[in-house]
Amino acid sequence: MDQDENALKHATERLKSYAAQFCALRGNFRHFPQIIEETGVSGFDGMLVDIGVSSHQLDDAGRGFSFMRDGPLDLRMDTQSPRTAADIVNTADEPELMRLFFEYGEEPNARRIARAIIKARATRRIETTLQFADIVAAASPKRGKRHPATLVFQALRIAVNDELAALHDFLAAAPRWLKPGGRLAVISFHSLEDRIVKQTLQHLSAPFLDRPEWPEPRKNPDCVLKLVTRKPVQATPQEIEMNPRARSAVLRVAEHLPA
Ligand SMILES: C[S@@+](CC[C@H](N)C(=O)[O-])C[C@H]1O[C@@H](n2cnc3c(N)ncnc32)[C@H](O)[C@@H]1O
């Protein structure tokens, strides 16, 4: 399942010798229960979600995912969704832009960058990735090796695709679809995503809950999983050498309890 039509075309071509075992479904995984209806599948032995942005998306300048290549300021994984990054950047007010850069990018200069965007767009609509990256760079003090627009681009991408809410929705629905002993594996790519995965899996695998105001711990009615990975699994240095984009990948796995 992918919300990006191109990703599905590519995967279908690549996996054509497995056509009998493979089914490509278009859609946002936050809605997977409705999307899989047509397949008749009623439960999973395993669910693997490899979230975030793909190399194809990053490398295609026309999609606007990279501030290193000039292209439309788009950043939509689903090209049919109505709102692009340019729409947000040209219409959101200053407090909204600041909140977005701060919450989704953890960008320390969120306020200055938001102000610079408001000023720049008053003279000319912001349309392209490089135009936007230049405005951000001019408003940011030089900081190490990282491009000054890195965190702001991450924030915009998360906002355009509503990525954190989609992950929440998916994780809320997924455990009910696992068969007893079935496994859920999630690969995420930055700390905001990993925090959601870690906290959700911890909650769903805790037999008891405790709060300071309770006289004693209570049974957790949501406990349906056990953790397979106590610590996050990360790529080895050899794998990172072969595929540098694996450097920020974090895998967590949990298993549905027996019936
Ligand atoms: C890191 S890539 C994984 C690519 C895939 N595993 C492969 O090997 O080609 C992430 C993919 O997830 C898709 N994606 C991210 N969030 C999604 C969501 N909420 N619903 C559906 N697809 C999503 C993106 O469009 C992107 O193609």
Side-chain angles (χ1 to χ4, degrees), residues 4-77:
D4 185 332
E5 184 93 58
N6 278 340
L8 291 183
K9 266 194 214 136
H10 193 78
T12 305
E13 174 59 28
R14 189 149 181 236
L15 297 173
K16 64 174 182 243
S17 50
Y18 300 95
Q21 293 126 283
F22 174 74
C23 162
L25 296 173
R26 168 120 197 248
N28 192 311
F29 59 61
R30 71 195 301 177
H31 305 306
F32 81 87
Q34 294 96 294
I35 296 167
I36 60 164
E37 249 170 37
E38 64 177 84
T39 65
V41 169
S42 58
F44 293 100
D45 299 307
M47 301 173 90
L48 166 66
V49 277
D50 183 11
I51 57 179
V53 66
S54 72
S55 289
H56 288 287
Q57 290 162 341
L58 283 171
D59 295 340
D60 179 351
R63 305 290 300 273
F65 279 91
S66 170
F67 50 82
M68 309 301 273
R69 295 160 219 268
D70 206 10
L73 188 60
D74 188 320
L75 285 129
R76 286 171 305 167
M77 290 176 180

Side-chain angles (χ1 to χ4, degrees), residues 13 87 191:
E13 174 59 28
D87 294 331
S191 55

Side-chain angles (χ1 to χ4, degrees), residues 98-113:
M98 195 178 91
R99 186 193 63 79
L100 201 149
F101 299 151
F102 193 71
E103 269 181 30
Y104 295 160
E106 299 176 310
E107 166 59 63
N109 275 305
R111 183 186 298 273
R112 269 173 62 176
I113 295 169

